[in-house]
Amino acid sequence: VQLVESGGGLVQPGGSLRLSCAASGFTFSSSRMSWYRQAPGKERELVAAIGSAGGRTTYADSVKGRFTISRDNAKNTVYLQMNSLKPEDTAVYYCNAIRGLAIYWGQGTQVTVSS
């Protein structure tokens, strides 16, 4: 099982980034996919989640209206479009997959929002 995140980096406040998470080794299309983040000294928190068919999404209040989660089941990939980024969005972003009792995590990608 692999979840490989990409797309992180350094961006100025107000900028945008698109994170991708490529999945392999499990049935992606039957899995609920999520993005979490963890800032230094803070607990890991849920940012956004999407159901297996892509029709149901959930967002943290802090990112509603700025971030959009989506998935492409043909490519086994989940995305996080992040707009209007703020310094407080700085964190390591992790991809997460849940299918039944199985939970998988990616290695994380760093997002830094700074001028």
Side-chain angles (χ1 to χ4, degrees), residues 61-88:
D61 287 343
S62 58
V63 307
K64 281 181 181 177
R66 300 188 297 122
F67 291 10
T68 302
I69 188 170
S70 62
R71 65 189 296 160
D72 186 338
N73 285 349
K75 295 183 178 179
N76 285 2
T77 301
V78 62
Y79 306 96
L80 185 67
Q81 178 67 43
M82 305 186 294
N83 299 328
S84 303
L85 283 160
K86 305 175 180 180
E88 51 264 43

Side-chain angles (χ1 to χ4, degrees), residues 36-39 43-45 47 62-63 67 89 91-93:
Y36 284 73
R37 67 185 180 187
Q38 187 166 20
E43 293 187 354
R44 192 171 296 190
E45 63 174 354
V47 176
S62 58
V63 307
F67 291 10
D89 294 318
V92 177
Y93 284 71

